[in-house]
Amino acid sequence: MKAVITVTGKDTVGIIAMVSQECARYGVNIVDISQSVMREYFAMIMLVEIEGLSVAFADFAKALAEQGQGRGLDIRVMHEDIFNSMHRI
Amino acid sequence: MLNTNDILETIHMIREENLDIRTVTMGISLFDCVSDDPKRLEQKIYDKITGTAKNLVPVAEELEARYGIPIINKRISLTPISLVGGALSPEGYVRIAEVLERAAGNLGVNFIGGFSALVQKGMTVGARNLITAIPEALATTAHICSSVNVASTKAGINMDAVAEMGEVMKRAAFLTRENDSIGCAKLVVFANMPEDNPFMAGAVHGIGEPDCVINVGVSGPGVVASAIRREGACDFSRLADTIKKTAFKITRVGQLIAAAAAEKLGAPYGIVDLSLAPTPAVGDSVAYILEGMGLEKCGTHGTTAALAMLNDAVKKGGVMASSHVGGLSGAFIPVSEDAGMIAAAECGALSIEKLEAMTAVCSVGLDMIAVPGDTPASTLSAIIADEIAIGVINNKTTAVRLIPVYGKGVGENVEFGGLLGHAPVMKLSEYSSADFIARGGRIPAPIHSLRN
């Protein structure tokens, strides 16, 4: 079972480090990462495996969102099915 | 891996364009609650609802977190209460409404619909007593919605019921006069009422439905408006394609949530309602979609054509995205719940006559329209009759939800709050329809050949 973590906001040092650290803490395995920086705007998309998640999905999403808020970043964790449903027939 | 642009598009729809699931509605049959003892009936209804729907709100909240999409309302629709409370007095029906209110509070749901009667051909004693009880039931509860089906294409129009509903609206407006007559916002009069509609105030659990079912209503006017804006000055063929593609994406999310909710709640998945349901939030408006097509203000000439195209394209896009479609499916045009409609009504671009024409080509009908408090009941009935006739003749659902705001006149503002929004009191014809309504009886069912 996979989820997609998206991080958008102003680019600063250590964003990927912070998200990766949170993933490791909650037993989430990173499968793929893509990121781009346009002007100062940072957008990262991370595909993660959540089979080993040590807390409830909602708690993991909340923990990351709160980490993001402290740095002015919008961090969302969403089950991959919402993207598959919307964009694939 | 998923395409980056697709992911960002979805995030953008949710964050900037107000994409949400408008409602997850659990339909519950009350037929097994029937009892000739009113106390026992009340207890059985309370137990059935609170037992069957105990996980509705937690499951909806879990899905919200899992898929990252807001689910705005968690609701319950019931077997029309007049069908299970046959022997009750009007006072007995009011007590049932209070029982439903307690159940709503216990479960944390936003609304319970089904304080309803089906009287398209005539009234049973039970239906009559329920209709008598509606004003008080709406005044003494906050989360209970009522609906009455007064006509169908097969039965014609029950004009006695139409006449009575004008009086019922007046009385509900009076009893809730301290709150801008908000009781009327929870009451809708139908022609061809759907049996699987997840939207309020008209949600009921139809007689052909299973014991329990999950129906989902989607939303997303902001997403459609943005897509149209991005297309720029294209022709109508391309515009319709853009709307179809957008509606497909919106509806797929509804399908996903409906299937997941049904599985987790152990109930069959019923339908997805392909709706464009606005909210008073700026950017979540159906009127702005129409204006985005090139109309200076919603309500000007061309509005009916624009709405017809929008409604049709939404259905075409949505049908393929969902395995079962039902409910009201189409664009909603509730005046007080749509920032663009409110603005158009305030500046005089949108009249009730134009709204009536618009309802001939979209779902639902004259919805959330504030009218003067001193409007005679017969005039309200005549407005109902006009709107219901459009539904009956055209073989579609139409409905009326008017608020004759006690003590307020044309141009004054009415504040309902929350998703119900605010609205200016609209002008009606000053000429009487009293003798027409006083005739009573039934308007016969229409012929469906020789169509012109």
Side-chain angles (χ1 to χ4, degrees), chain B residues 205-292:
Chain B
H205 184 71
I207 55 174
E209 297 283 316
D211 206 42
C212 177
V213 71
I214 298 297
N215 297 322
V216 166
V218 298
S219 180
V223 182
V224 176
S226 298
I228 290 174
R229 204 163 38 243
R230 279 194 294 274
E231 284 298 327
C234 64
D235 73 2
F236 282 111
S237 303
R238 184 154 158 194
L239 198 59
D241 276 344
T242 301
I243 296 168
K244 280 197 302 199
K245 285 178 195 156
T246 310
F248 175 84
K249 290 177 182 174
I250 294 170
T251 310
R252 289 284 279 190
V253 181
Q255 167 78 21
L256 173 73
I257 296 293
E263 192 191 333
K264 281 191 172 292
L265 290 163
Y269 147 56
I271 56 99
V272 173
D273 192 318
L274 311 177
S275 39
L276 280 184
T279 69
V282 172
D284 206 16
S285 154
V286 170
Y288 288 156
I289 298 177
L290 306 178
E291 292 173 5

Coordinates of all heavy atoms in Angstrom, one line a residue, chain B residues 205-292:
Chain B
H205 N -34.8 7.9 2.0 CA -34.4 6.5 1.7 C -35.6 5.8 1.1 O -36.6 5.5 1.8 CB -33.9 5.8 3.0 CG -33.4 4.4 2.7 ND1 -32.2 4.2 2.1 CD2 -33.9 3.2 3.0 CE1 -32.0 2.9 2.1 NE2 -33.0 2.3 2.6
G206 N -35.6 5.7 -0.2 CA -36.8 5.2 -1.0 C -37.2 3.8 -0.6 O -36.5 3.1 0.0
I207 N -38.5 3.5 -1.0 CA -39.1 2.3 -0.6 C -38.4 1.1 -1.4 O -38.5 0.0 -0.9 CB -40.6 2.3 -0.8 CG1 -41.0 2.6 -2.2 CG2 -41.3 3.2 0.2 CD1 -42.5 2.5 -2.5
G208 N -37.8 1.3 -2.5 CA -37.1 0.2 -3.2 C -35.7 0.0 -2.9 O -35.0 -0.7 -3.5
E209 N -35.2 0.7 -1.8 CA -33.8 0.6 -1.4 C -33.6 -0.5 -0.5 O -34.5 -1.0 0.2 CB -33.4 2.0 -0.7 CG -33.5 3.2 -1.7 CD -32.4 3.3 -2.6 OE1 -31.2 3.1 -2.2 OE2 -32.6 3.6 -3.8
P210 N -32.3 -0.9 -0.3 CA -32.0 -2.0 0.6 C -32.1 -1.4 2.1 O -32.3 -0.3 2.3 CB -30.6 -2.4 0.3 CG -30.0 -1.2 -0.4 CD -31.1 -0.5 -1.1
D211 N -31.8 -2.3 3.0 CA -31.9 -1.9 4.4 C -31.0 -0.7 4.8 O -31.4 0.2 5.5 CB -31.5 -3.1 5.3 CG -32.2 -3.0 6.7 OD1 -33.4 -2.7 6.7 OD2 -31.6 -3.3 7.7
C212 N -29.8 -0.7 4.2 CA -28.9 0.4 4.5 C -28.0 0.6 3.2 O -27.7 -0.4 2.6 CB -28.0 0.0 5.7 SG -26.8 1.2 6.1
V213 N -27.7 1.8 2.9 CA -27.0 2.1 1.7 C -26.1 3.3 1.8 O -26.4 4.2 2.6 CB -28.0 2.2 0.5 CG1 -28.8 3.5 0.6 CG2 -27.3 2.1 -0.8
I214 N -25.0 3.4 1.1 CA -24.2 4.6 1.1 C -24.3 5.3 -0.2 O -24.0 4.8 -1.3 CB -22.7 4.2 1.4 CG1 -22.5 3.5 2.7 CG2 -21.8 5.4 1.3 CD1 -22.9 4.4 3.9
N215 N -24.7 6.6 -0.2 CA -24.8 7.4 -1.3 C -23.8 8.6 -1.1 O -23.7 9.1 0.0 CB -26.2 7.9 -1.6 CG -27.2 6.8 -1.9 OD1 -26.8 5.8 -2.5 ND2 -28.4 6.9 -1.3
V216 N -23.2 9.0 -2.2 CA -22.2 10.1 -2.1 C -22.5 11.2 -3.0 O -22.9 11.0 -4.2 CB -20.8 9.6 -2.3 CG1 -19.8 10.7 -2.5 CG2 -20.3 8.7 -1.1
G217 N -22.4 12.5 -2.5 CA -22.6 13.6 -3.4 C -21.3 14.4 -3.5 O -20.6 14.7 -2.5
V218 N -20.9 14.6 -4.8 CA -19.6 15.3 -5.0 C -19.9 16.8 -5.2 O -21.0 17.2 -5.1 CB -18.8 14.8 -6.2 CG1 -18.5 13.3 -6.0 CG2 -19.6 14.9 -7.5
S219 N -18.8 17.6 -5.4 CA -19.0 19.0 -5.6 C -18.0 19.5 -6.6 O -17.6 18.7 -7.4 CB -18.9 19.7 -4.2 OG -19.0 21.1 -4.4
G220 N -17.6 20.7 -6.5 CA -16.5 21.1 -7.4 C -16.8 22.2 -8.4 O -16.1 22.2 -9.5
P221 N -17.7 23.1 -8.2 CA -17.9 24.2 -9.1 C -16.6 25.0 -9.3 O -16.3 25.5 -10.5 CB -18.9 25.1 -8.5 CG -19.6 24.3 -7.4 CD -18.6 23.3 -7.0
G222 N -15.8 25.2 -8.3 CA -14.6 26.0 -8.4 C -13.6 25.3 -9.4 O -12.9 26.0 -10.1
V223 N -13.6 24.0 -9.4 CA -12.6 23.3 -10.3 C -13.1 23.5 -11.8 O -12.3 23.7 -12.7 CB -12.6 21.8 -10.0 CG1 -11.7 21.0 -10.9 CG2 -12.3 21.6 -8.5
V224 N -14.4 23.4 -12.0 CA -14.9 23.6 -13.4 C -14.7 25.1 -13.8 O -14.3 25.3 -14.9 CB -16.4 23.3 -13.4 CG1 -17.0 23.6 -14.8 CG2 -16.7 21.8 -13.1
A225 N -14.9 26.0 -12.9 CA -14.7 27.4 -13.3 C -13.3 27.7 -13.7 O -13.0 28.4 -14.7 CB -15.2 28.3 -12.1
S226 N -12.4 27.1 -12.9 CA -10.9 27.3 -13.2 C -10.6 26.7 -14.6 O -9.8 27.3 -15.3 CB -10.0 26.7 -12.1 OG -10.3 27.3 -10.9
A227 N -11.1 25.5 -14.8 CA -10.8 24.8 -16.1 C -11.3 25.6 -17.3 O -10.6 25.8 -18.3 CB -11.4 23.4 -16.1
I228 N -12.5 26.2 -17.1 CA -13.0 27.1 -18.2 C -12.2 28.3 -18.4 O -11.9 28.7 -19.5 CB -14.5 27.5 -17.9 CG1 -15.4 26.2 -18.0 CG2 -15.0 28.6 -18.8 CD1 -16.8 26.4 -17.6
R229 N -11.7 28.9 -17.3 CA -10.9 30.1 -17.3 C -9.6 29.8 -18.1 O -9.1 30.5 -18.9 CB -10.6 30.6 -15.9 CG -10.3 32.0 -15.8 CD -10.4 32.6 -14.4 NE -9.9 31.7 -13.4 CZ -10.7 31.3 -12.4 NH1 -12.0 31.6 -12.4 NH2 -10.3 30.5 -11.5
R230 N -9.0 28.6 -17.8 CA -7.8 28.2 -18.5 C -7.9 28.0 -20.0 O -7.0 28.3 -20.8 CB -7.2 27.0 -17.9 CG -6.4 27.2 -16.6 CD -5.6 26.0 -16.2 NE -6.5 24.8 -15.8 CZ -7.0 24.6 -14.6 NH1 -6.7 25.4 -13.6 NH2 -7.7 23.6 -14.4
E231 N -9.1 27.6 -20.4 CA -9.4 27.4 -21.8 C -9.4 28.7 -22.6 O -9.2 28.7 -23.8 CB -10.7 26.6 -22.0 CG -10.5 25.1 -21.7 CD -9.5 24.4 -22.6 OE1 -9.4 24.8 -23.8 OE2 -8.9 23.5 -22.1
G232 N -9.8 29.8 -22.0 CA -9.8 31.0 -22.7 C -11.0 31.1 -23.6 O -12.1 30.5 -23.4
A233 N -10.8 31.8 -24.8 CA -12.0 32.1 -25.7 C -12.1 30.9 -26.7 O -12.1 31.2 -27.9 CB -11.7 33.4 -26.4
C234 N -12.3 29.7 -26.2 CA -12.5 28.6 -27.2 C -14.0 28.5 -27.6 O -14.9 29.2 -27.0 CB -12.1 27.3 -26.5 SG -13.1 26.9 -25.1
D235 N -14.3 27.6 -28.6 CA -15.7 27.5 -29.0 C -16.4 26.5 -28.0 O -15.8 25.9 -27.1 CB -15.8 27.1 -30.4 CG -15.4 25.7 -30.7 OD1 -15.1 24.9 -29.7 OD2 -15.4 25.2 -31.9
F236 N -17.7 26.3 -28.3 CA -18.5 25.5 -27.3 C -18.2 24.0 -27.3 O -18.3 23.4 -26.3 CB -20.0 25.7 -27.6 CG -20.5 27.0 -27.0 CD1 -20.9 28.1 -27.9 CD2 -20.6 27.2 -25.7 CE1 -21.3 29.3 -27.4 CE2 -21.0 28.4 -25.1 CZ -21.4 29.5 -26.0
S237 N -17.8 23.5 -28.5 CA -17.4 22.1 -28.5 C -16.3 21.8 -27.6 O -16.3 20.9 -26.8 CB -17.0 21.7 -30.0 OG -18.0 22.0 -30.8
R238 N -15.3 22.7 -27.6 CA -14.1 22.5 -26.8 C -14.5 22.8 -25.3 O -14.0 22.1 -24.4 CB -13.0 23.4 -27.2 CG -11.8 23.2 -26.5 CD -10.5 23.6 -27.2 NE -9.4 23.9 -26.3 CZ -8.3 24.5 -26.6 NH1 -8.2 24.9 -27.9 NH2 -7.4 24.7 -25.7
L239 N -15.3 23.8 -25.1 CA -15.8 24.1 -23.7 C -16.5 22.9 -23.1 O -16.2 22.5 -22.0 CB -16.7 25.3 -23.8 CG -17.0 26.1 -22.5 CD1 -15.7 26.6 -21.9 CD2 -17.9 27.2 -22.7
A240 N -17.4 22.2 -23.9 CA -18.1 21.1 -23.4 C -17.1 20.0 -23.1 O -17.3 19.3 -22.0 CB -19.1 20.6 -24.4
D241 N -16.1 19.8 -23.9 CA -15.1 18.7 -23.6 C -14.4 19.0 -22.4 O -14.1 18.1 -21.6 CB -14.2 18.6 -24.8 CG -14.7 17.7 -25.9 OD1 -15.7 17.0 -25.7 OD2 -14.2 17.8 -27.0
T242 N -14.0 20.2 -22.2 CA -13.3 20.6 -21.0 C -14.1 20.3 -19.7 O -13.6 19.8 -18.7 CB -12.9 22.1 -21.0 OG1 -12.2 22.3 -22.2 CG2 -12.1 22.6 -19.8
I243 N -15.4 20.7 -19.8 CA -16.3 20.4 -18.6 C -16.4 18.9 -18.4 O -16.4 18.5 -17.2 CB -17.6 21.1 -18.8 CG1 -17.5 22.6 -18.9 CG2 -18.6 20.7 -17.7 CD1 -18.7 23.3 -19.4
K244 N -16.6 18.2 -19.4 CA -16.7 16.7 -19.3 C -15.5 16.1 -18.6 O -15.6 15.3 -17.7 CB -16.9 16.1 -20.7 CG -18.3 16.2 -21.2 CD -18.6 15.2 -22.3 CE -17.7 15.4 -23.5 NZ -18.2 14.8 -24.7
K245 N -14.3 16.5 -19.1 CA -13.1 15.9 -18.5 C -13.0 16.3 -17.0 O -12.6 15.5 -16.2 CB -11.8 16.5 -19.3 CG -11.6 15.8 -20.6 CD -10.4 16.5 -21.3 CE -10.4 16.1 -22.8 NZ -9.7 17.1 -23.6
T246 N -13.3 17.5 -16.7 CA -13.2 18.0 -15.3 C -14.2 17.2 -14.5 O -13.9 16.8 -13.4 CB -13.5 19.5 -15.2 OG1 -12.6 20.1 -16.2 CG2 -13.1 20.0 -13.9
A247 N -15.4 17.1 -15.0 CA -16.5 16.4 -14.2 C -16.1 14.9 -14.0 O -16.3 14.4 -12.9 CB -17.8 16.5 -15.0
F248 N -15.4 14.3 -15.0 CA -14.9 13.0 -14.8 C -14.0 12.8 -13.6 O -14.2 12.0 -12.8 CB -14.2 12.5 -16.1 CG -13.6 11.2 -16.0 CD1 -14.4 10.0 -16.3 CD2 -12.3 11.0 -15.7 CE1 -13.8 8.8 -16.2 CE2 -11.7 9.7 -15.6 CZ -12.5 8.6 -15.8
K249 N -13.1 13.8 -13.6 CA -12.1 13.7 -12.5 C -12.7 13.9 -11.1 O -12.5 13.2 -10.1 CB -11.0 14.8 -12.7 CG -10.1 14.4 -13.8 CD -9.1 15.6 -14.1 CE -8.2 15.2 -15.3 NZ -7.3 16.3 -15.6
I250 N -13.6 14.9 -11.0 CA -14.3 15.1 -9.8 C -15.1 13.9 -9.3 O -15.1 13.5 -8.2 CB -15.3 16.3 -9.9 CG1 -14.5 17.6 -10.2 CG2 -16.2 16.5 -8.7 CD1 -15.4 18.8 -10.6
T251 N -15.8 13.3 -10.3 CA -16.7 12.2 -10.0 C -15.9 10.9 -9.6 O -16.4 10.2 -8.7 CB -17.6 11.9 -11.1 OG1 -18.2 13.1 -11.6 CG2 -18.7 10.9 -10.8
R252 N -14.7 10.8 -10.2 CA -13.9 9.6 -9.8 C -13.6 9.7 -8.3 O -13.5 8.6 -7.7 CB -12.6 9.6 -10.6 CG -12.9 9.2 -12.1 CD -13.1 7.8 -12.2 NE -11.9 7.0 -12.3 CZ -11.8 5.7 -12.6 NH1 -12.9 5.1 -12.9 NH2 -10.6 5.1 -12.6
V253 N -13.3 10.8 -7.8 CA -13.0 10.9 -6.4 C -14.3 10.5 -5.6 O -14.2 9.8 -4.5 CB -12.6 12.4 -6.0 CG1 -12.3 12.5 -4.5 CG2 -11.4 12.8 -6.8
G254 N -15.5 10.9 -6.0 CA -16.7 10.5 -5.4 C -16.9 9.0 -5.4 O -17.2 8.4 -4.4
Q255 N -16.6 8.4 -6.5 CA -16.7 7.0 -6.6 C -15.7 6.3 -5.7 O -16.1 5.3 -5.0 CB -16.4 6.6 -8.1 CG -16.1 5.2 -8.4 CD -17.4 4.4 -8.4 OE1 -18.5 4.9 -8.7 NE2 -17.3 3.1 -8.2
L256 N -14.5 6.8 -5.6 CA -13.5 6.2 -4.7 C -14.0 6.3 -3.2 O -14.0 5.3 -2.5 CB -12.2 7.0 -4.8 CG -11.1 6.7 -3.8 CD1 -10.5 5.3 -4.2 CD2 -10.0 7.7 -3.8
I257 N -14.5 7.4 -2.8 CA -14.9 7.6 -1.4 C -16.2 6.7 -1.2 O -16.3 6.1 -0.1 CB -15.2 9.1 -1.1 CG1 -14.0 9.9 -1.3 CG2 -15.9 9.3 0.2 CD1 -12.9 9.7 -0.2
A258 N -17.1 6.7 -2.2 CA -18.3 5.9 -2.0 C -18.0 4.4 -1.8 O -18.5 3.8 -0.9 CB -19.3 6.1 -3.2
A259 N -17.1 3.9 -2.6 CA -16.7 2.5 -2.5 C -16.0 2.2 -1.2 O -16.3 1.2 -0.6 CB -15.9 2.1 -3.7
A260 N -15.1 3.1 -0.8 CA -14.3 2.9 0.4 C -15.3 3.0 1.6 O -15.2 2.2 2.6 CB -13.2 3.9 0.5
A261 N -16.2 4.0 1.6 CA -17.1 4.1 2.8 C -18.0 2.9 2.9 O -18.3 2.4 4.0 CB -17.9 5.4 2.6
A262 N -18.5 2.5 1.7 CA -19.4 1.3 1.8 C -18.7 0.1 2.3 O -19.3 -0.6 3.2 CB -19.9 1.1 0.3
E263 N -17.5 -0.1 1.9 CA -16.8 -1.3 2.4 C -16.5 -1.2 3.9 O -16.8 -2.2 4.6 CB -15.4 -1.4 1.6 CG -14.8 -2.7 1.9 CD -13.3 -2.7 1.3 OE1 -13.0 -2.0 0.4 OE2 -12.5 -3.5 1.9
K264 N -16.1 0.0 4.3 CA -15.7 0.1 5.8 C -17.0 0.1 6.6 O -16.9 -0.3 7.8 CB -15.0 1.4 6.0 CG -13.5 1.3 5.6 CD -12.8 2.5 6.1 CE -11.3 2.3 5.9 NZ -10.7 1.3 6.8
L265 N -18.1 0.5 6.1 CA -19.3 0.5 6.9 C -20.2 -0.7 6.7 O -21.2 -0.9 7.4 CB -20.2 1.8 6.5 CG -19.6 3.1 7.0 CD1 -20.2 4.3 6.3 CD2 -19.7 3.3 8.5
G266 N -19.7 -1.6 5.9 CA -20.4 -2.9 5.7 C -21.8 -2.7 5.1 O -22.7 -3.5 5.3
A267 N -22.0 -1.7 4.3 CA -23.3 -1.4 3.6 C -23.0 -1.4 2.1 O -21.9 -1.0 1.7 CB -23.8 -0.1 4.1
P268 N -24.0 -1.7 1.3 CA -23.8 -1.6 -0.1 C -23.6 -0.2 -0.6 O -24.2 0.8 0.0 CB -25.1 -2.2 -0.7 CG -26.1 -2.3 0.4 CD -25.4 -2.2 1.7
Y269 N -22.9 0.0 -1.7 CA -22.7 1.3 -2.3 C -23.9 1.5 -3.2 O -24.2 0.7 -4.0 CB -21.3 1.3 -3.0 CG -21.2 2.1 -4.2 CD1 -21.6 3.5 -4.2 CD2 -20.8 1.6 -5.4 CE1 -21.5 4.2 -5.4 CE2 -20.7 2.3 -6.6 CZ -21.1 3.7 -6.5 OH -21.0 4.4 -7.7
G270 N -24.6 2.6 -3.0 CA -25.8 2.9 -3.8 C -25.4 3.7 -5.0 O -25.3 3.1 -6.1
I271 N -25.2 5.0 -4.9 CA -25.0 5.8 -6.1 C -24.0 6.9 -5.8 O -23.8 7.3 -4.6 CB -26.3 6.5 -6.6 CG1 -27.0 7.3 -5.5 CG2 -27.3 5.4 -7.2 CD1 -26.8 8.8 -5.5
V272 N -23.4 7.5 -6.8 CA -22.8 8.8 -6.7 C -23.7 9.8 -7.4 O -24.2 9.6 -8.5 CB -21.4 8.8 -7.4 CG1 -20.8 10.2 -7.4 CG2 -20.5 7.8 -6.6
D273 N -23.9 10.9 -6.7 CA -24.7 12.0 -7.3 C -23.8 13.0 -8.0 O -22.9 13.6 -7.4 CB -25.5 12.7 -6.1 CG -26.6 13.6 -6.6 OD1 -26.3 14.4 -7.6 OD2 -27.7 13.7 -6.1
L274 N -23.9 13.1 -9.3 CA -23.0 13.9 -10.1 C -23.4 15.4 -10.0 O -24.0 15.9 -10.9 CB -23.1 13.5 -11.6 CG -23.0 12.0 -11.9 CD1 -23.3 11.9 -13.4 CD2 -21.7 11.5 -11.5
S275 N -23.1 16.0 -8.9 CA -23.6 17.3 -8.7 C -22.5 18.3 -8.7 O -21.4 18.1 -8.3 CB -24.3 17.3 -7.3 OG -23.5 16.5 -6.5
L276 N -22.9 19.5 -9.2 CA -22.1 20.7 -8.9 C -22.8 21.5 -7.9 O -23.7 22.2 -8.1 CB -21.9 21.5 -10.2 CG -21.0 21.0 -11.3 CD1 -20.9 22.1 -12.4 CD2 -19.6 20.9 -10.7
A277 N -22.4 21.3 -6.6 CA -23.1 21.9 -5.5 C -22.2 23.1 -5.0 O -21.1 22.9 -4.5 CB -23.3 20.9 -4.4
P278 N -22.7 24.3 -5.1 CA -21.9 25.5 -4.7 C -22.0 25.7 -3.2 O -22.8 25.0 -2.5 CB -22.7 26.6 -5.4 CG -24.1 26.2 -5.5 CD -24.0 24.7 -5.6
T279 N -21.1 26.5 -2.7 CA -21.2 27.0 -1.3 C -21.0 28.5 -1.4 O -20.6 29.0 -2.4 CB -20.0 26.4 -0.4 OG1 -18.8 27.0 -0.8 CG2 -20.0 24.9 -0.5
P280 N -21.3 29.2 -0.3 CA -21.2 30.7 -0.3 C -19.7 31.1 -0.5 O -19.5 32.3 -0.7 CB -21.8 31.1 1.0 CG -22.6 30.0 1.5 CD -21.9 28.7 1.0
A281 N -18.7 30.2 -0.3 CA -17.3 30.6 -0.4 C -17.1 31.2 -1.8 O -17.6 30.6 -2.8 CB -16.4 29.4 -0.2
V282 N -16.3 32.3 -1.9 CA -15.9 32.8 -3.2 C -15.1 31.8 -3.9 O -14.2 31.1 -3.4 CB -15.1 34.1 -3.0 CG1 -14.6 34.6 -4.4 CG2 -16.0 35.2 -2.4
G283 N -15.4 31.5 -5.2 CA -14.7 30.5 -6.0 C -15.3 29.2 -5.9 O -14.8 28.2 -6.4
D284 N -16.5 29.0 -5.3 CA -17.2 27.8 -5.2 C -18.6 27.9 -5.8 O -19.6 27.4 -5.2 CB -17.2 27.3 -3.8 CG -17.3 25.7 -3.7 OD1 -17.0 25.1 -4.7 OD2 -17.6 25.2 -2.6
S285 N -18.7 28.7 -6.9 CA -20.0 29.1 -7.3 C -20.3 28.6 -8.7 O -19.5 28.6 -9.6 CB -20.0 30.7 -7.3 OG -20.9 31.2 -8.3
V286 N -21.6 28.2 -8.9 CA -22.1 27.8 -10.2 C -22.3 29.0 -11.1 O -22.0 29.0 -12.3 CB -23.4 26.9 -10.1 CG1 -24.0 26.7 -11.5 CG2 -23.1 25.6 -9.5
A287 N -22.7 30.1 -10.5 CA -22.9 31.3 -11.2 C -21.6 31.8 -11.9 O -21.6 32.3 -13.0 CB -23.5 32.4 -10.3
Y288 N -20.5 31.7 -11.2 CA -19.2 32.1 -11.7 C -18.8 31.2 -12.9 O -18.1 31.7 -13.8 CB -18.1 32.1 -10.7 CG -18.3 33.2 -9.6 CD1 -17.7 33.1 -8.4 CD2 -19.0 34.4 -9.9 CE1 -17.8 34.1 -7.4 CE2 -19.1 35.4 -9.0 CZ -18.5 35.2 -7.7 OH -18.7 36.2 -6.8
I289 N -19.3 30.0 -13.0 CA -19.0 29.1 -14.1 C -19.7 29.7 -15.3 O -19.1 29.9 -16.4 CB -19.5 27.7 -13.9 CG1 -18.7 27.0 -12.7 CG2 -19.3 26.9 -15.2 CD1 -19.2 25.6 -12.4
L290 N -21.0 30.1 -15.1 CA -21.8 30.6 -16.2 C -21.2 32.0 -16.7 O -21.1 32.3 -17.9 CB -23.2 30.8 -15.8 CG -23.9 29.6 -15.2 CD1 -25.3 29.9 -14.8 CD2 -23.9 28.4 -16.3
E291 N -20.7 32.8 -15.7 CA -20.1 34.1 -16.1 C -18.8 33.8 -16.8 O -18.4 34.6 -17.7 CB -20.0 34.9 -14.8 CG -21.4 35.4 -14.3 CD -21.3 36.1 -13.0 OE1 -20.2 36.4 -12.4 OE2 -22.4 36.4 -12.4
G292 N -18.1 32.8 -16.4 CA -16.8 32.4 -17.0 C -17.0 32.0 -18.5 O -16.1 32.1 -19.3

